[in-house]
Amino acid sequence: MIPLQYYLLLAGILFAIGAYGIMTLSNGIRLLMCVELMLNAANMNLIAFSTHINDASGQVFALFSIALAAAEAAVGFAIILMVYRLRAKIDIENIKLLRW
Amino acid sequence: MSDVATATTALMDFRPYAHWIMLLPMIGFLLELLIGKYWWRKGGMFATLSILGSVIISYGCLYNVYVQHLGFWEYSWDWFYPGIVAGFTIDPLSLAMLCMVSFISFFIHFYAIGYMSHDCAKNVYFAETALFTGSMFGLVLANNLLQLFIFWEMVGVCSYLLIGFWWHKPEAAAAGKKAWMSCAVGDCLFLLGIAMMYTIMVKQGITTEIISFNNIFQNLEHLSHETIFGMSALTIICILFMCGVLGKSAGFPLHVWIPDAMEGPTTVSALIHAATMVTAGVYLIARAFPIFLAAPNALMIVAFMGAFTALYASTLGLVVNDLKRIFAYSTISQLGYMIAILGCGAVLGVAAVAYALFHLVAHAFFKALLFLSSGSVLHGIGNVRDIKEMGGLLKGMPWTGYAMLAGALALIAFPFTAGYYSKDKVIEEAYIYAVHDGGLGYLPWIFLVLGVILTATYTFRAWYLAMTGEPRSYPAIRPHECGFWMKTTLVVLSVFALGLGFLTADWSKGIISGLFSGGAKFWHFLEETFVHETHTASGVVYEGLNLHDIALLGGNTLMEHGAHPPQWVILLPLILMIAGLAIATMVYYKNRVDVSKYVKKDNPLYQILWNKYYLDYIFKDIIAEKIIMTVFTFWDVLDRYVIDGVVNLMSWITIQSGQVSRKLQTGVVQNYATAVIFGVSMLMILVIMLRGGL
């Protein structure tokens, strides 16, 4: 039985990697991957806690969260695909049409 | 007698249908506007027939009250606010107006079928005249001030539309605007007067029929104690009403729109001058007569304004060369006679209303005749209006010429015409007022008497110059006589202009009472107006008024018995009329006297008259362009630099701060993400610190 702290540590590290990626990267696909990392860190927390208190509802929530993440990723990739078709680039720094 | 009684009861009671007098022309208006173009002669049928319906109901009501003695009648409904009603009233005063307006308006419509036959917007013309007539009916039937005011304004709107009917002529468009604006000055003050009347009635604790005439009359005793700025409230209200009257009935100084209103079709001039517009003001004073009687000094102002207008306008009639404008000035003058005699009501009581109304009715007939015959002249010689370019028309158009002669004779009060019975009575009664009042009270009578000689001169100046002598221009050589519709109307109106005195003359008394089973003379019928009780449909009975008591409230004392003026006073107007006629004949027919050395632009008196006492100049160039324009220029500067400045400063500040602060939004996702993560981290640290460690 792996203690709870290890799960939480792993989740914290995953989250920090994702947050670092979001703050520093400009490639659209990498950004989305970072978002996924952060989401999965949260999911891991849910599952770890649910096992810890012996209650399955946390795992159910994790399933919901995964489904939502899939939907969000689909939308995100669709947008990035369209941007790529228009600009032949997916650097989001270049997408500033609506800025002052 | 018994067979007469059965014959009279056989006729139905028309009084509950009185509102249809007003509604029928309104329906005619809609039909004419929407489908008139596709029917008989492209317009005119619906308007004329609907007014024929109004004629039938009006005379039915007259028969009910005058012959069958069914009594005065009033009915009203609650309208939009407790105490504000919509209602209709049938009494001798409204009946006299209804019968006159409907009859004359019908014949003017009849005439217009011929007169407007070549106009391309014929159905619009007839729609507007039907609305005009319907509004006038509404005004006459109204039993309360607000309803009267609404129709008063509708009459104004229709006159604006019709004066500017040939809007493609710039002067016609300008004339319509002028009529509207001159009336609007008076109408604003009139509305203010109505509001004041409402206020003081509510102050008495009255909650039903607040501004209905009959209810106001019943409460005059309480109202007479009300004061505004230390003056009697009733006097102020009456002066405000009088301002409205001056606008609508073309009293000095708001008469300036009347001569310009001649730009409209002549039938419209006839409608305005005889039936539907200018008589409204006289009717308002007559309808509100007990209020004027109970207000100190109000009737004196009415008498002086009226008499002054009568003389003033007749001096202007002397120099104008436009045929229609001469008659327009004569209308202003004759309205002055009516208003003056109403003012004399301070002594004469309700009899003054009867005299004024009879002159109004008689005037309506002969003035409609004069306008319609001058319309026929215009029609016959191609819209030449200058009498200097006419001459000798009697040969080419005898029907028109003799019709105009009949009208002119009635206007100057030639013996046994309608004007003789109406106008000379007015002057005699003004003398009785003068004797009773003394001092300044003689002024109205003097003005009215002087007006007689001028009236005779200018009227026959116009007739002689137009109809006799040699033609003075090419179109006048071959005039063509008018057709069936116009000729019929001229004949009918001529008969009435010459014979209407029948209603009041001494010799016809027996004939009238024989015909109408004891019907009284016109005057005696009208004198019952305020002093008899009025029944309402809701069962309320308004008691007849004691005008002697009401007069005392205003400091007036009525005469107990009718006085007879001395013989020389009765003959004086007649002598002066003959003198005026003789002057006109000498100068313009026999050419014995040469006036050309006076009628020149360098004669100062002529110049004043020619420029209409510079009143147009004062109103337009001084008041409108100097005073009001200066005020507006100042206002414009204030508006542009102070008020607009503040507004613009506010918006400038907002825009500038937006310009600066929007740089905060970089649009770079990483920056936002960093900010969010930084913020959440800070919040978490804060929470941990507040809880005192993990």
Side-chain angles (χ1 to χ4, degrees), chain B residues 204-364:
Chain B
Q204 307 299 321
I206 290 157
T207 52
T208 53
E209 304 257 343
I210 296 173
I211 45 173
S212 298
F213 286 110
N214 273 322
N215 208 20
I216 294 172
F217 298 160
Q218 300 294 328
N219 289 290
L220 278 175
E221 199 181 331
H222 308 293
L223 295 178
S224 65
H225 302 308
E226 293 288 338
T227 53
I228 298 170
F229 306 129
M231 279 175 74
S232 161
L234 285 181
T235 305
I236 294 178
I237 289 169
C238 286
I239 291 172
L240 291 172
F241 282 12
M242 186 63 195
C243 294
V245 171
L246 291 180
K248 192 75 51 178
S249 275
F252 176 85
L254 296 178
H255 65 275
V256 288
W257 62 273
I258 279 256
D260 290 21
M262 296 298 109
E263 296 299 337
T266 310
T267 44
V268 172
S269 308
L271 262 183
I272 289 178
H273 287 255
T276 50
M277 173 102 178
V278 296
T279 52
V282 179
Y283 178 76
L284 172 65
I285 303 185
R287 174 54 71 197
F289 183 71
I291 306 176
F292 278 79
L293 198 59
N297 299 326
L299 282 174
M300 191 186 73
I301 296 167
V302 173
F304 281 93
M305 289 306 286
F308 178 71
T309 306
L311 182 63
Y312 170 88
S314 53
T315 58
L316 288 174
L318 284 175
V319 296
V320 186
N321 287 330
D322 183 324
L323 183 62
K324 282 173 74 182
R325 283 184 193 220
I326 294 173
F327 296 140
Y329 281 119
S330 84
T331 303
I332 303 175
S333 171
Q334 299 305 309
L335 287 164
Y337 279 85
M338 296 169 210
I339 293 171
I341 191 66
L342 281 168
C344 297
V347 170
L348 305 171
V350 71
V353 174
Y355 302 140
L357 254 288
F358 186 59
H359 191 42
L360 192 157
V361 171
H363 171 260

Side-chain angles (χ1 to χ4, degrees), chain A residues 19 22-26 31 38 92-93 95 99-100, chain B residues 662-671 673-674 677:
Chain A
I22 282 185
M23 284 189 280
T24 55
L25 300 175
S26 67
L31 271 177
M38 289 164 77
I92 52 165
E93 274 170 5
I95 311 166
R99 199 172 61 170
W100 37 267
Chain B
R662 75 179 179 187
K663 292 278 157 53
L664 285 174
Q665 305 293 328
T666 56
V668 181
V669 179
Q670 287 84 356
N671 293 0
T674 314
I677 289 165

Side-chain angles (χ1 to χ4, degrees), chain B residues 329-526:
Chain B
Y329 281 119
S330 84
T331 303
I332 303 175
S333 171
Q334 299 305 309
L335 287 164
Y337 279 85
M338 296 169 210
I339 293 171
I341 191 66
L342 281 168
C344 297
V347 170
L348 305 171
V350 71
V353 174
Y355 302 140
L357 254 288
F358 186 59
H359 191 42
L360 192 157
V361 171
H363 171 260
F365 279 99
F366 61 69
K367 191 50 61 73
L369 174 61
L370 282 171
F371 271 111
L372 295 184
S373 54
S374 60
S376 172
V377 168
L378 266 53
H379 203 252
I381 60 173
N383 278 326
V384 175
R385 300 204 311 212
D386 193 337
I387 49 175
K388 295 208 158 152
E389 294 178 17
M390 295 176 189
L393 297 180
L394 195 58
K395 269 185 234 115
M397 34 174 57
W399 292 81
T400 306
Y402 286 113
M404 194 187 275
L405 179 64
L409 286 176
L411 173 58
I412 67 165
F414 199 79
F416 310 114
T417 58
Y420 175 70
Y421 292 101
S422 63
K423 191 156 91 178
D424 281 13
K425 189 71 180 171
V426 166
I427 295 168
E428 285 165 26
E429 298 298 326
Y431 180 78
I432 290 169
Y433 171 80
V435 172
H436 196 277
D437 240 31
L440 275 177
Y442 276 93
L443 270 184
W445 175 69
I446 293 170
F447 283 168
L448 296 187
V449 163
L450 287 178
V452 170
I453 185 167
L454 296 175
T455 307
T457 312
Y458 69 68
T459 309
F460 271 83
R461 167 176 175 265
W463 193 80
Y464 284 135
L465 283 180
M467 292 297 165
T468 62
E470 293 301 314
R472 285 182 295 275
S473 72
Y474 181 70
I477 296 171
R478 272 194 204 81
H480 69 87
E481 182 62 286
C482 51
F484 161 76
W485 301 96
M486 292 156 80
K487 222 181 268 178
T488 314
T489 309
L490 292 179
V491 170
V492 171
L493 289 177
S494 298
V495 169
F496 276 89
L498 293 176
L500 202 72
F502 173 79
L503 290 181
T504 55
D506 286 329
W507 50 265
S508 63
K509 209 170 172 179
I511 308 173
I512 291 177
S513 62
L515 274 178
F516 303 116
S517 64
K521 284 211 286 190
F522 184 93
W523 290 326
H524 297 144
F525 177 54
L526 269 171

